[in-house]
């Protein structure tokens, strides 16, 4: 579980839990600040002390390897996982450079030092200043409030009004500052992921050019660099969308906090001062408590809390409410008071003081069961009816006819007044058919695309429904690429028929738009950013929900990339409902034990070898003119195998390949599992012959238990299905996902291994990872 989202509505409650979450964010930023300071120090050592270059590199690599970015919410996207793992990848490159001790001229000041210093001073420094203001204003607010509440009710009315106004003005200022501070904290948590990693990436790109063997290393690194640039660009794009949504939510809550109060199981909650009576002659004292009340059970909870001590100052007290009465000022020398009586203490009322008359009124309404103020609802006219389908089809036809190659299609917005006018004409049955979008010069393409998005956002509920929203999000957060596609495929067919029909029309169009990405720059990932919030949105608008925007985008990417399969075929009837996806198969069998000494060390490189080498197996180099932005979605064609927590492989065209070499911890073995090494066996003539030729009718190999030979019946030409995912640790082995079908499967000479063919490539398969068909 990552950092808890900071909800803007909690700024007005200022609860103990809110304060704990704020402290967790502050602690994480302090850790990031220390990490950046250490990274800057190490970078300067590399420039100033070339004679200690090797030691400085090891320290620098150590810092990169050990740091891990925290994330907001309960899961990361693939892009964020790869960005997080990128520091570990950088560390491994440095280890391979330790033997290269030539004197180098490292011009890294502009690419590494200055951006990190600027980030630390401008971003982290700004947060520190906001924290000082926030802490100062907190103390000022509650001190002034305590002083105000101690005012005697016998003071002149004018004096009391002036005091009330002063407290209210100070409280508003405190809430304003709290909102800004919460927004800044969450913004910096998201921003640091790309602003800290990008300078490091630039530093590595320059570093390779100064080494004797830098050219070869840079060629190997280029694949990974391109993949990481896509990850960073995708993360940046999602950050921009998330930030605008967060700011919009903050402004809504700023305008009307009560209207956007978070839905929770408490009818009312907040701070109250509780009168605690003492033996004569000490009178009584007033202690601040955080109180909660549930109308259904009539349970009232009080937690004593003191901001100065930073936490609770006593035990929680819970009682069942019997009644609540308003306290008149002539019976007590304090304002805003009311009495509660508990069922277990009849006749012994507890006197409480609210912060204001309005606050007391809200408590009174909640405690005596008065009906809450009704919420305001927008009158939405958009429907999934005949007119709605006509609007979508007309807009799509016009876009594909006039603007399929327009740069920034769907990202460039139209003039609001024109969009509203067009939408009103299209939604009117009398004028809809008269509007000519394909030939009229009155309507720009950006106006048409904006009207289309506005119509979809104006539906009473999103096209992919509130009911299935959570289920669509789950597979985007975990699972293998294949399982993600299967889960989305399954869920799409649970949508109401009209929703599914319109979604199919729209996704087919978006797939067509993505095919023209070289001209319009609208890749699948970019379309996901645009249409994720349009097609999917949660029923409750919170910061936590906004943090799931990136997963909504991934779902849309999966729809676009697999639209033919999802909409033209029925889902697998045996596929279970994707209630939850585990990160690894719970009962995966162990592989055979690896024999010591059989693994030979290999340099970090990309291996394109397999058992049958031919021209079809070779990978072409990526084009030099490939843009560094988001060229492809990483939603379904994930660089890593299913259930793997390893970083992405090296990008080669449209495929990801990776050699594990001796990268400790980067293989995809499941916990407690290992595979037998095939290196020594692959070097024997008999093994190579057996790997490439047709197998005999039976194999013979020594029985470890008896020392004699035993015959194994030939299973050549049989098929097998993968029941667990696997990532190859050598070029002689096959990588595969769950459900992969192997042809011409037979036993290998190595115990515990099979040979088989997958997608035209022949290789070795762990025997206990498949089942025969």
């Amino acid at each position: 579980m990552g950092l808890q989202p900071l909800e803007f509505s909690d700024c007005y409650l200022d609860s103990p839990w809110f304060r704990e979450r704020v402290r967790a964010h502050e602690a994480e930023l302090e850790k990031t600040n220390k990490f950046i300071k250490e990274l800057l120090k190490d970078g300067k050592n590399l420039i100033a002390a070339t004679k200690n270059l090797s030691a400085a590199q090891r320290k620098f690599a150590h810092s990169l390897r050990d740091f891990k970015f925290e994330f907001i919410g309960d899961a990361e996207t693939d892009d964020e996982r790869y960005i997080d793992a990128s520091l570990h990848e950088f560390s491994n490159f440095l280890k391979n450079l330790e033997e290269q001790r030539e004197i180098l001229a490292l011009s890294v000041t502009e690419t590494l030092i200055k951006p990190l210093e600027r980030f630390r001073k401008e971003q982290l420094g700004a947060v520190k200043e906001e924290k000082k203001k926030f802490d100062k204003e907190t103390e000022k607010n509650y001190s002034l409030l305590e002083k105000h509440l101690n005012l005697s009710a016998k003071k002149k009315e004018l004096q009391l009004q002036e005091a009330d106004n002063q407290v209210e003005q100070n409280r508003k200022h405190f809430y304003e500052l709290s909102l800004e501070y919460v927004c800044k904290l969450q913004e910096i948590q998201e921003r640091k992921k790309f602003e800290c990693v990008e300078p490091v990436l630039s530093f590595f790109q320059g570093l390779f050019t100064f080494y004797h063997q830098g050219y070869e290393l840079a060629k190997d690194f280029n694949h990974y660099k391109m993949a990481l640039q896509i990850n960073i660009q995708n993360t940046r794009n999602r950050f921009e969308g998330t930030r605008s949504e967060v700011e919009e939510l903050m402004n809504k809550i700023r305008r009307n906090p009560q209207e956007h109060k978070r839905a929770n199981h408490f009818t009312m909650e907040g701070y109250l001062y509780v009168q605690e009576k003492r033996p004569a002659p000490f009178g009584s004292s007033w202690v601040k408590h955080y109180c909660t009340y549930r109308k259904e059970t009539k349970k009232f909870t009080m937690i004593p809390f003191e901001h100065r001590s930073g936490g609770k100052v006593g035990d929680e007290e819970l009682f069942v409410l019997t009644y609540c009465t308003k306290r008149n000022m002539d019976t007590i020398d304090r304002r805003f008071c009311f009495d509660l009586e508990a069922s277990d203490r009849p006749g012994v009322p507890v006197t409480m003081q609210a912060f204001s008359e309005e606050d007391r009124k809200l408590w009174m309404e909640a405690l005596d069961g008065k009906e809450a103020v009704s919420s305001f609802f927008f009158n939405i006219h958009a429907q999934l009816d005949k007119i709605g389908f006509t609007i979508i089809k007309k807009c799509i036809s016009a876009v594909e006819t006039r603007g399929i190659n327009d740069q920034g299609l769907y990202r460039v917005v139209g003039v609001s007044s024109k969009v509203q006018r067009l939408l009103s004409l299209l939604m009117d049955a009398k004028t809809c058919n008269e509007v000519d979008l394909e030939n009229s010069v009155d309507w720009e393409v950006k106006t048409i695309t904006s009207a289309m998005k506005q119509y979809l956002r104006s539906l009473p509920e999103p096209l992919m429904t509130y009911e299935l929203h959570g289920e669509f999000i789950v597979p985007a957060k975990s699972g293998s690429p294949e399982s993600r596609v299967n889960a989305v495929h399954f869920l799409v067919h649970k949508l109401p028929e009209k929703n599914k029909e319109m979604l199919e029309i729209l996704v087919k169009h978006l797939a067509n738009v993505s095919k023209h990405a070289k001209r319009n720059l609208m890749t699948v990932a970019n379309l996901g950013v645009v249409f994720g919030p349009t097609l999917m949105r949660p029923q409750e608008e919170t910061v936590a929900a906004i943090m799931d925007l990136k997963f909504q985008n991934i779902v849309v990417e999966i729809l676009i990339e697999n639209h033919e399969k999802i909409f033209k075929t029925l889902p697998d009837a045996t596929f279970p409902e994707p209630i939850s996806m585990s990160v690894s198969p719970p009962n995966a069998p162990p592989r055979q034990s690896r024999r010591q000494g059989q693994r030979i060390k290999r340099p970090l490189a990309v291996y394109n070898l397999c058992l049958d080498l031919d021209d079809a197996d070779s990978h072409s180099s990526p084009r030099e003119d490939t843009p560094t932005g988001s060229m492809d979605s990483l939603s379904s064609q994930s660089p890593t195998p299913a259930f793997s927590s390893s970083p992405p492989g090296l990008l080669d065209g449209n495929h990801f390949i990776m050699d594990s070499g001796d990268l400790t911890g980067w293989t995809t073995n499941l916990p407690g599992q290992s595979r037998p090494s095939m290196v020594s066996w692959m070097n024997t003539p008999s093994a190579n012959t057996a790997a490439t030729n047709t197998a005999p009718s039976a194999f013979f190999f020594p029985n470890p238990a008896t020392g004699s030979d035993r015959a194994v019946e030939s299973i050549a030409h049989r098929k097998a299905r993968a029941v667990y995912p696997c990532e190859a640790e050598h070029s002689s082995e096959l990588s595969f996902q769950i459900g992969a079908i192997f042809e011409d499967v037979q036993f290998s000479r190595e115990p515990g291994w099979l040979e088989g063919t997958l997608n035209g490539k022949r290789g070795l398969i762990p025997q206990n990872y498949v089942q025969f068909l």
Side-chain angles (χ1 to χ4, degrees), residues 473-498:
I473 291 293
V474 167
K477 291 183 176 180
S478 58
S480 66
E482 183 183 10
S483 68
R484 292 179 182 182
V485 175
N486 289 340
V488 173
H489 188 188
F490 182 86
L491 290 169
V492 164
H493 287 263
K494 289 180 65 176
L495 289 170
E497 195 59 36
K498 286 186 177 180

Side-chain angles (χ1 to χ4, degrees), residues 388-397 452 455-456 502 505:
F389 278 89
T390 302
I391 291 172
I392 295 297
K393 290 176 181 178
K394 285 175 73 75
C395 290
I396 288 175
S397 177
M452 181 174 161
Y455 165 78
L456 292 170
M502 182 166 285
I505 295 170

Side-chain angles (χ1 to χ4, degrees), residues 99-112:
E99 296 178 359
Q100 313 293 334
R101 298 200 180 195
E102 297 179 12
I103 299 177
L104 306 174
L106 301 176
S107 57
V108 299
T109 301
E110 295 296 326
T111 59
L112 177 70

Side-chain angles (χ1 to χ4, degrees), residues 589-718:
R591 302 183 186 182
Q592 301 297 319
S593 299
R594 178 182 298 161
R595 291 196 289 246
Q596 296 297 326
Q598 287 191 333
R599 258 305 191 221
I600 60 173
K601 289 191 174 184
R602 302 190 300 276
L604 180 68
V606 181
Y607 287 83
N608 294 328
L609 302 177
C610 62
L611 287 175
D612 298 311
L613 290 176
D614 53 33
D615 293 339
D617 288 329
S618 63
H619 296 274
S620 59
S621 300
R623 292 179 56 184
E624 293 298 327
D625 59 348
T626 302
T628 59
S630 174
M631 290 304 299
D632 284 301
S633 164
L634 303 181
S635 59
S636 57
Q637 295 183 355
S638 175
T640 54
F643 310 114
S644 168
S645 59
S646 61
L650 304 181
L651 180 64
D652 187 12
N654 293 323
H655 304 282
F656 286 81
I657 53 179
M658 185 173 187
D659 171 64
S660 60
D662 293 302
L663 304 183
T664 305
W666 280 44
T667 60
T668 58
N669 289 358
L670 300 171
Q673 299 174 350
S674 61
R675 296 185 296 186
S677 171
M678 302 306 299
V679 176
S680 59
W681 178 80
M682 285 302 300
N683 291 331
T684 62
S686 59
N688 293 329
T689 303
T692 56
N693 296 334
T694 305
S697 59
F699 284 107
F700 291 87
F701 52 84
N703 186 330
T706 63
S708 61
D709 290 348
R710 63 181 175 88
V712 179
E713 182 183 354
S714 173
I715 57 169
H717 309 301
R718 287 192 63 182

Side-chain angles (χ1 to χ4, degrees), residues 62-94:
H62 187 271
S63 298
L64 290 172
R65 185 191 64 207
D66 289 350
F67 183 78
K68 180 176 176 61
F69 289 118
E70 287 292 347
F71 58 93
I72 298 177
D74 58 359
E76 294 175 287
T77 64
D78 287 345
D79 294 310
E80 290 172 329
R81 280 195 291 270
Y82 306 148
I83 287 175
D84 194 26
S86 65
L87 299 181
H88 196 278
E89 174 73 354
F90 295 146
S91 173
N92 284 326
F93 274 109
L94 276 179

